[in-house]
Amino acid sequence: MTLRNGKEFLMIPGPTNVPDEVLRAMHRPAVDIYEGPLLETTDVCLKGLKALFRTVRQTYIYAANGHGAWDAALTNTLSRGDKVLVLESGRFALGWGEAGGIAGLETEVLAGDWKKAVDPAAVEARLRQDSQGEIKAVLVVQVDTASGAWNDIKAIRKAMDAANHDALLMVDTIASLGCMPFEMDGWGVDVALTGSQKGLMTPPGLSFVAAGPRAVKAHETADLRTNYMDWTFRNGPEHYQKYCGTPPEHLLFGFRAALGLIEAEGLDNVWRRHALMAEATRRAVTVWAEGGALEFNISAPESRSDSVTVVRLNGHDPAALRSFTKEVCGVTIGGTIGALSGQGIRIAHMGHCNGVMVLGTLSAIELGLAKLGIPHKPGGVQAAISYLQDAL
Ligand SMILES: *Cc1c(COP(=O)(O)O)cnc(C)c1O
């Protein structure tokens, strides 16, 4: 017997649930790329991105996923043989560094622990050793979607300043923009990037980069520049230059609608909603964990992300739990990836997501734990409800 018939929830850390408003905005004929509504849509999207990144600087739109934005950030600002320091806190900064290696950069990984956020003091110590200034950029993710870690970007910037080091600070906000506070200009981030398909509620296929003044300066001498990624060409006067060719029209119409939803809710409220959904999830996991089998992947509570919660099952079968929630209850939760592959679940609470979806997902997980005999203390969902009762 299943309870699957009904609206399905996609509670994985990307792609995420796409609002009907976004889908409807995309359901239209293709339009002229030289004049008409598309040009205004481009302006609205580029401006909306500034509001999201909290920057007054230039923003760029790529017809690419997040990996494309990684390339754009690196190739626009760096030269062959430049060294970049990759701050490990899971899988994603490592992947960005690997992309840099293929592009011709020398990458050094500041080794981290998948159960912890990046330690700003370790960043400071490493940069202090680099008295010759060989490190040209520091690459970090704000939220690592594989480990569930939230990195304190403001503190990392302070550590770089304390070491008196002038490397560019480049931040991947793919799993955090539109979910958790980010202040590109306020925190002194040189390059920020994100993708359309996580907190930003748009189908995969767009990614976005913002370039601060020091990155623009570095761009002048960067020799890794490519035709498609190049900021200089994209700054040109013609509309098609902003996309280096045909704009991804339908995704832009969708993204514009998503920006409208965020604006209507208010970015502060969006952040607050994510904080509430995340804490409700953590309250549930905390109770289940008392039964022995489950454990937060990130040990320190203050380093847990508000967009995704990663839970290890310590030898119990995550695939069976995920298949139960999906096949019987109609909610897809994530499996763990990378070094944590096969060891646990990832519960996403990001983007187009509300109380019903989070409480429903937690209920489906608790039902699954019970049905599958995975040791846990019951009452996690009640703990989530009690928390929300006080917090709302
Ligand atoms: C999802 C994700 C990526 C990869 O994005 P793609 O669109 O799949 O290329 C990179 N970094 C982080 C932090 C992510 O969560």
Side-chain angles (χ1 to χ4, degrees):
M1 184 61 203
T2 90
L3 303 170
R4 190 170 180 178
N5 203 339
K7 179 112 179 151
E8 305 251 327
F9 300 162
L10 183 61
M11 306 298 274
I12 62 174
T16 59
N17 301 283
V18 179
D20 290 343
E21 290 88 336
V22 172
L23 292 174
R24 273 198 299 275
M26 297 176 69
H27 192 95
R28 57 183 290 182
V31 297
D32 192 345
I33 64 173
Y34 297 101
E35 57 184 32
L38 190 61
L39 276 61
E40 191 225 341
T41 292
T42 293
D43 287 342
V44 170
C45 291
L46 289 171
K47 278 207 195 80
L49 283 166
K50 291 181 198 233
L52 286 178
F53 280 121
R54 304 273 214 167
T55 184
V56 298
R57 302 294 167 176
Q58 190 69 45
T59 48
Y60 298 92
I61 303 174
Y62 294 91
N65 62 16
H67 284 65
W70 282 349
D71 277 353
L74 300 175
T75 59
N76 271 296
T77 54
L78 298 167
S79 296
R80 185 162 292 276
D82 279 355
K83 187 186 240 189
V84 295
L85 184 66
V86 173
L87 310 185
E88 182 185 18
S89 62
R91 183 71 206 104
F92 285 95
L94 298 180
W96 192 4
E98 286 154 15
I102 291 172
L105 298 171
E106 191 192 324
T107 55
E108 176 181 325
V109 174
L110 185 70
D113 180 329
W114 279 48
K115 294 181 180 168
K116 286 191 189 134
V118 169
D119 174 11
V123 178
E124 183 180 337
R126 176 63 191 94
L127 292 179
R128 277 187 190 282
Q129 287 167 2
D130 183 39
S131 50
Q132 305 298 313
E134 279 175 12
I135 295 168
K136 301 297 180 204
V138 171
L139 313 187
V140 63
V141 299
Q142 189 182 22
V143 165
D144 190 292
T145 330
S147 64
W150 170 80
N151 290 317
D152 188 342
I153 302 301
K154 197 177 169 186
I156 291 169
R157 172 83 256 173
K158 282 205 178 116
M160 293 173 68
D161 292 345
N164 207 4
H165 200 287
D166 67 359
L168 297 172
L169 174 59
M170 301 198 190
V171 184
D172 167 336
T173 68
I174 296 176
S176 51
L177 204 73
C179 306
M180 299 183 74
F182 181 76
E183 301 283 349
M184 174 159 172
D185 293 354
W187 295 347
V189 173
D190 296 301
V191 181
L193 61 87
T194 197
S196 55
Q197 78 274 22
K198 298 191 185 180
L200 304 185
M201 308 182 289
T202 303
L206 291 181
S207 55
F208 313 108
V209 179
R214 298 176 68 242
V216 169
K217 182 86 190 136
H219 176 72
E220 287 168 12
T221 52
D223 77 7
L224 287 181
R225 287 160 60 177
T226 69
N227 177 58
Y228 181 70
M229 298 299 178
D230 192 36
W231 291 341
T232 298
F233 183 76
R234 284 167 181 260
N235 288 340
E238 301 296 331
H239 178 254
Y240 85 93
Q241 289 183 269
K242 300 210 170 355
Y243 302 95
C244 192
T246 307
E249 302 186 324
H250 293 83
L251 286 169
L252 294 167
F253 292 133
F255 181 55
R256 180 180 183 165
L259 285 171
L261 293 174
I262 292 172
E263 203 188 330
E265 185 177 353
L267 194 52
D268 289 333
N269 292 330
V270 171
W271 292 340
R272 175 88 182 122
R273 172 168 54 84
H274 280 82
L276 290 167
M277 296 189 301
E279 186 57 24
T281 303
R282 292 188 287 253
R283 295 294 174 105
V285 172
T286 301
V287 170
W288 298 333
E290 287 173 40
L294 285 72
E295 193 181 351
F296 284 105
N297 182 57
I298 297 295
S299 339
E302 67 277 11
S303 298
R304 294 175 190 149
S305 133
D306 281 349
S307 50
V308 59
T309 298
V310 180
V311 182
R312 280 181 280 113
L313 260 55
N314 294 329
H316 296 273
D317 185 9
L321 181 60
R322 291 178 54 233
S323 118
F324 178 88
T325 63
K326 180 171 180 178
E327 307 298 335
V328 181
C329 298
V331 48
T332 302
I333 56 173
T336 42
I337 58 172
L340 293 172
S341 186
Q343 294 182 35
I345 56 172
R346 296 186 299 160
I347 310 166
H349 24 79
M350 64 166 91
H352 189 58
C353 189
N354 62 23
V356 168
M357 295 161 83
V358 170
L359 290 171
T361 299
L362 296 174
S363 300
I365 293 171
E366 189 158 338
L367 177 59
L369 292 170
K371 277 298 259 188
L372 297 169
I374 298 174
H376 68 288
K377 183 172 164 191
V381 174
Q382 181 58 57
I385 291 170
S386 301
Y387 163 72
L388 291 172
Q389 183 186 344
D390 294 337
L392 286 174

